[in-house]
Amino acid sequence: QKEVEQNSGPLSVPEGAIASLNCTYSDRGSQSFFWYRQYSGKSPELIMFIYSNGDKEDGRFTAQLNKASQYVSLLIRDSQPSDSATYLCAVKEWMDSSYKLIFGSGTRLLVRP
Amino acid sequence: DTEVTQTPKHLVMGMTNKKSLKCEQHMGHRAMYWYKQKAKKPPELMFVYSYEKLSINESVPSRFSPECPNSSLLNLHLHALQPEDSALYLCASSQDDFSSYEQYFGPGTRLTVT
């Protein structure tokens, strides 16, 4: 069974701090990794994807991938109250003769003003 | 533009009703997906269409019937649903279902079965 694991949180950080969200995955052969942000009652929004080892930066967001240790993380710099949401990690997996996105259960982030 | 639209936003239906959910994208994507999401859970894959052909059915009950009339449209026909089918139904699309897998979600339809 291919699994993606996240700490459910909530992760509470003060405004302006760096929020660090972590995700581990079970399949060593996984190649593609995605971070979605989901506000309460809304749909998931793709905010980052990463395919290569190392860091990928986009504005205040940095995705970090370490395939040897099988983890992917999302850093949010200068956290704002508007960043308060659930962050879903997803991994593209080959299962049952097809590619599928396997989601973690999500980490809830609270940014305190 | 990464917009996927879904209608209706909210739907309340009885267990004997027949209704349809609609999804549309104009990004030229050739893969489209239906997911179901319950509160505080991640999305669960239901169906995948690739190049207008059904490629994945995750053993979804037959009371859910997907349809892909063309490459931009995806429907989900609902019939004789149960109260436990109440959930947020999400449509997503991606450029294809193998090499490029960034999936973009629509706003969802909040379904309540009474």
Side-chain angles (χ1 to χ4, degrees):
Chain A
Q1 183 74 356
K2 298 183 181 181
E3 295 181 339
V4 177
E5 295 193 356
Q6 298 180 255
N7 189 315
S8 62
L11 173 65
S12 181
V13 300
E15 185 174 354
I18 295 175
S20 178
L21 304 159
N22 299 314
C23 172
T24 59
Y25 57 95
S26 61
D27 181 8
R28 186 170 290 278
S30 299
Q31 297 289 322
S32 305
F33 307 86
F34 307 86
W35 283 100
Y36 287 86
R37 176 176 64 197
Q38 187 169 25
Y39 293 112
S40 181
K42 302 295 186 183
S43 65
E45 176 191 4
L46 180 64
I47 54 172
M48 291 288 285
F49 54 89
I50 185 166
Y51 302 149
S52 303
N53 261 340
D55 295 359
K56 178 182 178 183
E57 189 174 316
D58 184 0
R60 295 187 297 114
F61 298 104
T62 299
Q64 298 177 319
L65 175 60
N66 184 325
K67 290 185 179 179
S69 300
Q70 294 176 237
Y71 81 78
V72 56
S73 59
L74 180 71
L75 302 180
I76 306 175
R77 288 182 299 283
D78 187 24
S79 294
Q80 300 297 309
S82 58
D83 294 324
S84 297
T86 296
Y87 289 80
L88 295 163
C89 173
V91 181
K92 175 185 172 184
E93 294 285 4
W94 180 255
M95 294 174 66
D96 303 324
S97 305
S98 300
Y99 282 114
K100 300 177 185 179
L101 270 189
I102 306 301
F103 286 89
S105 56
T107 298
R108 193 158 67 97
L109 172 67
L110 295 175
V111 181
R112 308 186 305 271
Chain B
D1 182 14
T2 56
E3 188 176 20
V4 177
T5 59
Q6 289 186 246
T7 55
K9 290 183 179 166
H10 300 275
L11 179 62
V12 179
M13 61 186 290
M15 289 190 284
T16 58
N17 290 158
K18 285 186 181 180
K19 297 286 184 183
S20 297
L21 309 184
K22 297 186 184 300
C23 173
E24 189 168 7
Q25 57 88 14
H26 292 290
M27 296 177 279
H29 287 177
R30 302 315 299 268
M32 296 184 77
Y33 309 80
W34 281 115
Y35 287 87
K36 171 183 176 180
Q37 188 176 28
K38 299 281 248 182
K40 300 191 186 304
K41 297 289 188 184
E44 295 175 41
L45 183 64
M46 299 175 71
F47 302 104
V48 180
Y49 273 84
S50 176
Y51 290 81
E52 300 162 51
K53 291 192 186 328
L54 182 65
S55 61
I56 298 177
N57 176 342
E58 290 285 77
S59 302
V60 179
S62 60
R63 58 185 184 268
F64 295 92
S65 176
E67 178 195 20
C68 187
N70 60 54
S71 60
S72 300
L73 291 173
L74 189 64
N75 297 323
L76 186 62
H77 303 297
L78 313 173
H79 173 56
L81 294 192
Q82 304 297 308
E84 60 265 29
D85 296 322
S86 298
L88 181 66
Y89 287 84
L90 296 162
C91 174
S93 71
S94 65
Q95 193 166 335
D96 57 52
D97 66 340
F98 45 95
S99 61
S100 172
Y101 215 69
E102 298 97 56
Q103 291 187 20
Y104 297 91
F105 285 87
T109 294
R110 177 77 57 190
L111 174 67
T112 303
V113 182
T114 60

